[in-house]
Structures are given as structure tokens and as C-alpha cells.
Amino acid sequence: MLSSILSKKQCAACKFCCSFRRQSLWETPLFPPEVVEKLGKPNEYGVVGEFAATGDGDACRLVLENKYRTADPEEEVPCTFLNPQKGCILKHEDKPFDCSIWPLRIMRKDGELVIALTPTCPSIGAVPSQALTELVKSGLGEKILAYAKEHPYIIKKYRAGFPIIYL
Ligand code: SF4
Ligand code: SF4
């Protein structure tokens, strides 16, 4: 959904948002039950994911914590569905909504839903650009809010340092 403002070249060299340190496991994408049903057993992608219930609605998270090989807190483990050469192997319909809106997040701050920018994507930057703000204000923000109302499990607790983009 942000492909118009993401640099394909930078993404191909980066893949930061598809790998996770232990302290970033809260960022692992959440999958709806119908996709978990498909990806949790032999499937068209040839990769079976391990999922665990989140306890929040019927969403499941990808289990990656048993894949770390060292005690180094900087060790990164790639998402099960990341091909190091080709990127994400999932088709649009199976890709988590979380991934399709990255580096945007919908968060709850002081009881209100806000759209915030994760300030760690090297392509988008740490501060919302005019192009990003316009994209959010011209429909994407409403789309995210509508999805979150139907799938409230994607709403994260607000984190300090995440710039908010007001609709
Ligand atoms: S963190 Fe940003 S630049 Fe890197 S792969 Fe993800 S979207 Fe692309
Ligand atoms: S599902 Fe795809 S886009 Fe999302 S983290 Fe995994 S590899 Fe990346």
C-alpha cells in the first residue's frame, strides 16, 4: 500500500522489516485464522509456519523465538516467509495487513486510535514526509482505520517516539 513512496531498490537491499530481534518480537505480523489454517500446514509456498494464539481475538502470531541461535540481543531472525533473494514469498491475499502498511502502525494513545510511523524504515525515514502524510490523508488512513475496526487485534499500544500522522 506504500509502494508508491517506498524505494524498491532500498527494500531489496534492506529487508529490515522482515527480520526480528528478540526485543522486536512484538512487531511480528499477526495473521488471521483463515490464513493460519493455510500456512500452518503444507501449502503452495512450500514453507510451513508455526503460529501461536495471541489471546487477542482469533489472530495468531508467527512463532520465531525458538529460532535464535545465540544469546546476542542483536541477533536477527528472518520471518519464515522471507526468501533472502526474492523477498516475501506470500501473495497479496495471504500477506498480513500489518506487513502491507509497514512502516505505518495503528496504535491506541490515550484511548484514541492514531496512525503512527515506525521511525526505523530507511526508505521512509523517521519523520513523516509530505508524500507520506498526503498518502495517509487521501484514503489510506481511513482504510487502515476501517480494517482495525474489523480486526482490532492489529491495534498496538502507542510507543513513545512514533510520530503520529493526523487524518
Ligand atoms: S524497512 Fe523500509 S526500506 Fe527496509 S525493507 Fe522494510 S520497507 Fe523497505
Ligand atoms: S509475512 Fe512477508 S512481508 Fe511480512 S514479515 Fe514475513 S516476509 Fe516480511
Side-chain angles (χ1 to χ4, degrees), residues 97-119:
F97 189 79
D98 273 339
C99 300
S100 64
I101 63 168
W102 168 269
L104 296 175
R105 285 283 173 260
I106 182 154
M107 297 182 152
R108 193 176 300 282
K109 183 173 190 289
D110 303 327
E112 299 290 325
L113 292 184
V114 296
I115 291 174
L117 172 67
T118 309

mmCIF file of all heavy atoms in Angstrom, residues 97-119:
data_model
loop_
_atom_site.group_PDB
_atom_site.id
_atom_site.type_symbol
_atom_site.label_atom_id
_atom_site.label_comp_id
_atom_site.label_asym_id
_atom_site.label_seq_id
_atom_site.Cartn_x
_atom_site.Cartn_y
_atom_site.Cartn_z
ATOM 1 N N PHE A 97 -1.969 -7.838 6.987
ATOM 2 C CA PHE A 97 -2.255 -6.410 6.820
ATOM 3 C C PHE A 97 -1.129 -5.581 7.440
ATOM 4 O O PHE A 97 -0.716 -4.564 6.898
ATOM 5 C CB PHE A 97 -3.603 -6.079 7.473
ATOM 6 C CG PHE A 97 -4.096 -4.699 7.171
ATOM 7 C CD1 PHE A 97 -4.699 -4.421 5.957
ATOM 8 C CD2 PHE A 97 -3.956 -3.675 8.093
ATOM 9 C CE1 PHE A 97 -5.163 -3.138 5.664
ATOM 10 C CE2 PHE A 97 -4.417 -2.395 7.811
ATOM 11 C CZ PHE A 97 -5.019 -2.129 6.592
ATOM 12 N N ASP A 98 -0.636 -6.040 8.611
ATOM 13 C CA ASP A 98 0.492 -5.370 9.274
ATOM 14 C C ASP A 98 1.641 -5.120 8.295
ATOM 15 O O ASP A 98 2.276 -4.069 8.328
ATOM 16 C CB ASP A 98 1.061 -6.279 10.381
ATOM 17 C CG ASP A 98 0.358 -6.104 11.701
ATOM 18 O OD1 ASP A 98 -0.275 -5.059 11.901
ATOM 19 O OD2 ASP A 98 0.455 -7.023 12.533
ATOM 20 N N CYS A 99 1.929 -6.120 7.471
ATOM 21 C CA CYS A 99 3.062 -6.012 6.540
ATOM 22 C C CYS A 99 2.720 -5.072 5.389
ATOM 23 O O CYS A 99 3.589 -4.354 4.898
ATOM 24 C CB CYS A 99 3.423 -7.380 5.981
ATOM 25 S SG CYS A 99 3.902 -8.557 7.265
ATOM 26 N N SER A 100 1.456 -5.093 4.971
ATOM 27 C CA SER A 100 1.107 -4.274 3.808
ATOM 28 C C SER A 100 1.087 -2.781 4.143
ATOM 29 O O SER A 100 1.152 -1.961 3.240
ATOM 30 C CB SER A 100 -0.217 -4.727 3.200
ATOM 31 O OG SER A 100 -1.242 -4.529 4.114
ATOM 32 N N ILE A 101 1.007 -2.424 5.434
ATOM 33 C CA ILE A 101 1.000 -0.988 5.769
ATOM 34 C C ILE A 101 2.327 -0.535 6.397
ATOM 35 O O ILE A 101 2.477 0.640 6.725
ATOM 36 C CB ILE A 101 -0.169 -0.598 6.699
ATOM 37 C CG1 ILE A 101 -0.066 -1.307 8.054
ATOM 38 C CG2 ILE A 101 -1.492 -0.855 6.018
ATOM 39 C CD1 ILE A 101 -1.027 -0.734 9.099
ATOM 40 N N TRP A 102 3.250 -1.453 6.614
ATOM 41 C CA TRP A 102 4.546 -1.075 7.193
ATOM 42 C C TRP A 102 5.199 0.023 6.365
ATOM 43 O O TRP A 102 5.145 -0.046 5.143
ATOM 44 C CB TRP A 102 5.461 -2.305 7.258
ATOM 45 C CG TRP A 102 6.871 -1.956 7.569
ATOM 46 C CD1 TRP A 102 7.870 -1.681 6.684
ATOM 47 C CD2 TRP A 102 7.446 -1.794 8.877
ATOM 48 N NE1 TRP A 102 9.019 -1.371 7.348
ATOM 49 C CE2 TRP A 102 8.796 -1.417 8.692
ATOM 50 C CE3 TRP A 102 6.939 -1.920 10.182
ATOM 51 C CZ2 TRP A 102 9.645 -1.169 9.759
ATOM 52 C CZ3 TRP A 102 7.794 -1.680 11.224
ATOM 53 C CH2 TRP A 102 9.128 -1.304 11.003
ATOM 54 N N PRO A 103 5.830 1.061 6.951
ATOM 55 C CA PRO A 103 6.115 1.235 8.382
ATOM 56 C C PRO A 103 5.034 1.995 9.161
ATOM 57 O O PRO A 103 5.333 2.550 10.218
ATOM 58 C CB PRO A 103 7.417 2.028 8.358
ATOM 59 C CG PRO A 103 7.313 2.860 7.115
ATOM 60 C CD PRO A 103 6.546 2.035 6.117
ATOM 61 N N LEU A 104 3.796 2.018 8.639
ATOM 62 C CA LEU A 104 2.730 2.627 9.424
ATOM 63 C C LEU A 104 2.186 1.614 10.427
ATOM 64 O O LEU A 104 2.242 0.402 10.183
ATOM 65 C CB LEU A 104 1.600 3.102 8.507
ATOM 66 C CG LEU A 104 1.961 4.215 7.525
ATOM 67 C CD1 LEU A 104 0.787 4.510 6.597
ATOM 68 C CD2 LEU A 104 2.384 5.480 8.272
ATOM 69 N N ARG A 105 1.663 2.106 11.498
ATOM 70 C CA ARG A 105 1.051 1.276 12.521
ATOM 71 C C ARG A 105 -0.186 1.989 13.012
ATOM 72 O O ARG A 105 -0.231 3.221 13.041
ATOM 73 C CB ARG A 105 2.003 1.096 13.725
ATOM 74 C CG ARG A 105 3.144 0.143 13.458
ATOM 75 C CD ARG A 105 2.626 -1.275 13.532
ATOM 76 N NE ARG A 105 3.587 -2.279 13.140
ATOM 77 C CZ ARG A 105 3.614 -2.871 11.951
ATOM 78 N NH1 ARG A 105 2.770 -2.517 11.023
ATOM 79 N NH2 ARG A 105 4.476 -3.822 11.694
ATOM 80 N N ILE A 106 -1.191 1.189 13.392
ATOM 81 C CA ILE A 106 -2.319 1.824 14.071
ATOM 82 C C ILE A 106 -2.164 1.527 15.553
ATOM 83 O O ILE A 106 -1.936 0.373 15.940
ATOM 84 C CB ILE A 106 -3.686 1.409 13.482
ATOM 85 C CG1 ILE A 106 -4.796 2.153 14.226
ATOM 86 C CG2 ILE A 106 -3.904 -0.081 13.493
ATOM 87 C CD1 ILE A 106 -6.055 2.346 13.418
ATOM 88 N N MET A 107 -2.217 2.580 16.360
ATOM 89 C CA MET A 107 -1.933 2.450 17.786
ATOM 90 C C MET A 107 -3.026 3.134 18.602
ATOM 91 O O MET A 107 -3.737 4.006 18.088
ATOM 92 C CB MET A 107 -0.577 3.090 18.103
ATOM 93 C CG MET A 107 0.573 2.400 17.397
ATOM 94 S SD MET A 107 2.166 3.121 17.816
ATOM 95 C CE MET A 107 3.230 1.698 17.581
ATOM 96 N N ARG A 108 -3.119 2.717 19.857
ATOM 97 C CA ARG A 108 -4.062 3.375 20.760
ATOM 98 C C ARG A 108 -3.271 4.283 21.698
ATOM 99 O O ARG A 108 -2.357 3.823 22.384
ATOM 100 C CB ARG A 108 -4.858 2.352 21.561
ATOM 101 C CG ARG A 108 -6.052 2.968 22.255
ATOM 102 C CD ARG A 108 -6.898 1.933 22.977
ATOM 103 N NE ARG A 108 -7.451 0.901 22.117
ATOM 104 C CZ ARG A 108 -8.506 1.044 21.327
ATOM 105 N NH1 ARG A 108 -9.132 2.191 21.269
ATOM 106 N NH2 ARG A 108 -8.941 0.034 20.593
ATOM 107 N N LYS A 109 -3.605 5.574 21.659
ATOM 108 C CA LYS A 109 -2.927 6.544 22.516
ATOM 109 C C LYS A 109 -3.987 7.322 23.291
ATOM 110 O O LYS A 109 -4.864 7.926 22.679
ATOM 111 C CB LYS A 109 -2.089 7.506 21.660
ATOM 112 C CG LYS A 109 -1.296 8.508 22.470
ATOM 113 C CD LYS A 109 -0.363 9.302 21.544
ATOM 114 C CE LYS A 109 0.606 10.133 22.311
ATOM 115 N NZ LYS A 109 0.017 11.277 22.987
ATOM 116 N N ASP A 110 -3.908 7.244 24.591
ATOM 117 C CA ASP A 110 -4.876 7.935 25.457
ATOM 118 C C ASP A 110 -6.316 7.631 25.027
ATOM 119 O O ASP A 110 -7.159 8.522 24.931
ATOM 120 C CB ASP A 110 -4.629 9.462 25.432
ATOM 121 C CG ASP A 110 -3.204 9.800 25.847
ATOM 122 O OD1 ASP A 110 -2.645 9.073 26.681
ATOM 123 O OD2 ASP A 110 -2.650 10.777 25.318
ATOM 124 N N GLY A 111 -6.566 6.364 24.698
ATOM 125 C CA GLY A 111 -7.922 5.934 24.352
ATOM 126 C C GLY A 111 -8.328 6.194 22.910
ATOM 127 O O GLY A 111 -9.381 5.754 22.473
ATOM 128 N N GLU A 112 -7.483 6.905 22.156
ATOM 129 C CA GLU A 112 -7.824 7.228 20.760
ATOM 130 C C GLU A 112 -6.973 6.388 19.802
ATOM 131 O O GLU A 112 -5.811 6.093 20.104
ATOM 132 C CB GLU A 112 -7.508 8.705 20.472
ATOM 133 C CG GLU A 112 -8.273 9.700 21.309
ATOM 134 C CD GLU A 112 -9.751 9.748 20.929
ATOM 135 O OE1 GLU A 112 -10.050 9.588 19.735
ATOM 136 O OE2 GLU A 112 -10.577 9.933 21.834
ATOM 137 N N LEU A 113 -7.550 6.088 18.646
ATOM 138 C CA LEU A 113 -6.775 5.394 17.624
ATOM 139 C C LEU A 113 -5.977 6.414 16.817
ATOM 140 O O LEU A 113 -6.530 7.423 16.374
ATOM 141 C CB LEU A 113 -7.689 4.601 16.689
ATOM 142 C CG LEU A 113 -8.406 3.410 17.314
ATOM 143 C CD1 LEU A 113 -9.210 2.657 16.257
ATOM 144 C CD2 LEU A 113 -7.411 2.465 17.977
ATOM 145 N N VAL A 114 -4.697 6.138 16.639
ATOM 146 C CA VAL A 114 -3.854 7.045 15.850
ATOM 147 C C VAL A 114 -3.043 6.222 14.847
ATOM 148 O O VAL A 114 -2.768 5.044 15.073
ATOM 149 C CB VAL A 114 -2.884 7.868 16.736
ATOM 150 C CG1 VAL A 114 -3.645 8.800 17.659
ATOM 151 C CG2 VAL A 114 -1.941 6.966 17.533
ATOM 152 N N ILE A 115 -2.695 6.881 13.757
ATOM 153 C CA ILE A 115 -1.821 6.238 12.785
ATOM 154 C C ILE A 115 -0.426 6.809 12.995
ATOM 155 O O ILE A 115 -0.239 8.032 13.003
ATOM 156 C CB ILE A 115 -2.344 6.468 11.366
ATOM 157 C CG1 ILE A 115 -3.650 5.673 11.246
ATOM 158 C CG2 ILE A 115 -1.331 5.983 10.325
ATOM 159 C CD1 ILE A 115 -4.400 5.847 10.014
ATOM 160 N N ALA A 116 0.508 5.920 13.244
ATOM 161 C CA ALA A 116 1.854 6.360 13.605
ATOM 162 C C ALA A 116 2.871 5.745 12.663
ATOM 163 O O ALA A 116 2.625 4.713 12.028
ATOM 164 C CB ALA A 116 2.152 5.957 15.045
ATOM 165 N N LEU A 117 3.991 6.416 12.591
ATOM 166 C CA LEU A 117 5.086 5.944 11.737
ATOM 167 C C LEU A 117 6.135 5.255 12.600
ATOM 168 O O LEU A 117 6.623 5.832 13.576
ATOM 169 C CB LEU A 117 5.715 7.143 11.014
ATOM 170 C CG LEU A 117 6.997 6.857 10.237
ATOM 171 C CD1 LEU A 117 6.711 5.949 9.035
ATOM 172 C CD2 LEU A 117 7.647 8.161 9.758
ATOM 173 N N THR A 118 6.470 4.014 12.236
ATOM 174 C CA THR A 118 7.605 3.357 12.887
ATOM 175 C C THR A 118 8.857 4.041 12.336
ATOM 176 O O THR A 118 9.073 4.015 11.117
ATOM 177 C CB THR A 118 7.632 1.851 12.549
ATOM 178 O OG1 THR A 118 6.346 1.303 12.814
ATOM 179 C CG2 THR A 118 8.678 1.124 13.360
ATOM 180 N N PRO A 119 9.666 4.638 13.210
ATOM 181 C CA PRO A 119 10.723 5.523 12.692
ATOM 182 C C PRO A 119 12.011 4.802 12.285
ATOM 183 O O PRO A 119 13.067 5.405 12.324
ATOM 184 C CB PRO A 119 10.970 6.467 13.886
ATOM 185 C CG PRO A 119 10.616 5.651 15.076
ATOM 186 C CD PRO A 119 9.573 4.669 14.676
#
